[in-house]
Amino acid sequence: MKRTLVIANWKMNLNTHEASMLLHRYHQHIATHRDIEVVVAPSMLSLQPLSQEIDRHRFRLSAQDGYYKDEGGFTGEVSFAMMRDLVHYSIIGHSARRIYFNETLEVVREKVAAAVRNGIAPIICIGETKQERDSGETKQVIHDQLTTALRNVTSDEIENIVIAYEPVWAISTFDGEPAKPDDMKKALDYIRFQVRELYGERAAADIRVLYGGSVSDQDAAAFIGIEGCDGVLVGAASLNYAKFAGIVDAAYRVARERE
Ligand code: 13P
């Protein structure tokens, strides 16, 4: 059975001390459930200390990004090769990277390949901007972002990949508001359809596809409860341990109802 994923993307927030404190609160307040996998993505700076503090039986660590070369003269970058023993996952192609740091489809593709090569499972973020949505380009954007990102991924590797549909217009830091469950379902179905075209029925059924964008403890169950939604990628609400604990509980309630 697929485990529901609940991922905390702390983005560029919290110094190492604050990150430690928040992890401590997670340890105190978040219940452990067999069917739910909870992943914490702190800043690059906090990965090393948190890797020593985190209870690995309960939570997994994720990077928020990484560079696609393994080593060399790339001042300021950190490679997936350097993180291979620290993290289980890495977010790749987040819209903040695409928009603020001009990450192209090809760069995202190289990063996915580098993470896979180093034994790190990519959480590939895709999603259209408001402008693209208004001009009816949602499917085209999803198609282009997904097929390019997966270009070097083999059918043996696809099972470790996670896809997160994060429409830019729904992300809180872009002044967004949550997607309507109906819109979200259409996008998730289309993503699964694309995976089926590329890798077949089995891969499409097994791959985990998540939703992200202004998810709160109030509406998490409505998103996760949609057929084909395997979890959520949470930004702002993950900085509040009580709200995040509420989201994990919501995921558990949905998983239990599904059984
Ligand atoms: P918010 O939950 O703050 O909208 O952020 C979503 C996101 O970008 C997670 O990666």
Side-chain angles (χ1 to χ4, degrees):
M1 208 195 104
K2 280 196 273 187
R3 293 171 82 203
T4 304
L5 260 173
V6 182
I7 304 175
N9 178 5
W10 291 353
K11 305 190 181 179
M12 198 183 74
N13 294 292
L14 313 176
N15 62 30
T16 47
H17 175 67
E18 292 161 341
S20 254
M21 297 283 286
L22 184 56
L23 180 67
H24 183 63
R25 294 275 180 246
Y26 275 27
H27 282 147
Q28 286 177 317
H29 295 274
I30 294 177
T32 312
H33 306 291
R34 194 169 33 94
D35 303 340
I36 312 296
E37 184 178 349
V38 179
V39 177
V40 184
S43 78
M44 199 65 95
L45 189 65
S46 296
L47 280 178
Q48 178 81 50
L50 291 203
S51 77
Q52 282 160 9
E53 294 164 20
I54 200 162
D55 179 348
R56 287 173 186 253
H57 297 294
R58 298 179 56 198
F59 304 123
R60 282 182 159 154
L61 266 185
S62 173
Q64 296 177 10
D65 186 31
Y67 195 56
Y68 59 86
K69 300 278 192 186
D70 286 346
E71 61 184 3
F74 305 99
T75 303
E77 294 295 325
V78 175
S79 70
F80 293 108
M82 291 165 163
M83 295 188 281
R84 56 177 306 149
D85 298 326
L86 282 183
V87 301
H88 191 95
Y89 291 101
S90 179
I91 296 172
I92 297 179
H94 191 277
S95 54
R97 306 287 327 160
R98 297 183 196 256
I99 291 168
Y100 298 136
F101 304 99
N102 303 320
E103 254 179 40
T104 60
L105 297 177
E106 290 70 31
V107 167
V108 173
R109 178 192 68 207
E110 292 303 308
K111 288 187 172 185
V112 169
V116 169
R117 165 169 92 236
N118 284 291
I120 295 170
I123 300 161
I124 304 172
C125 296
I126 60 176
E128 78 286 4
T129 61
K130 181 169 184 326
Q131 197 188 352
E132 288 162 342
R133 179 189 188 219
D134 291 346
S135 41
E137 293 169 27
T138 299
K139 277 191 172 175
Q140 189 63 46
V141 171
I142 290 177
H143 171 271
D144 294 352
Q145 291 183 346
L146 190 64
T147 53
T148 320
L150 295 178
R151 188 147 306 147
N152 297 322
V153 173
T154 67
S155 46
D156 288 339
E157 292 162 348
I158 189 72
E159 64 182 30
N160 292 320
I161 305 257
V162 175
I163 311 290
Y165 173 59
E166 288 211 311
V168 179
W169 48 267
I171 296 177
S172 69
T173 38
F174 290 110
D175 291 332
E177 49 182 68
K180 300 228 172 12
D182 261 7
D183 287 344
M184 173 204 127
K185 175 152 176 46
K186 275 190 210 144
L188 263 47
D189 287 349
Y190 185 65
I191 290 168
R192 227 175 267 285
F193 167 77
Q194 288 297 330
V195 173
R196 185 177 308 122
E197 294 283 288
L198 293 169
Y199 298 95
E201 201 69 52
R202 171 97 191 265
D206 288 352
I207 196 167
R208 287 185 293 180
V209 186
L210 318 182
Y211 167 73
S214 302
V215 173
S216 74
D217 48 336
Q218 303 302 313
D219 60 14
F223 287 116
I224 303 169
I226 289 198
E227 199 198 333
C229 180
D230 301 308
V232 280
L233 180 49
V234 185
S238 71
L239 295 171
N240 177 316
Y241 68 84
K243 285 188 184 165
F244 191 65
I247 294 172
V248 175
D249 282 343
Y252 174 60
R253 285 198 308 277
V254 173
R256 218 175 37 183
E257 278 163 23
R258 272 191 187 144
E259 265 171 15

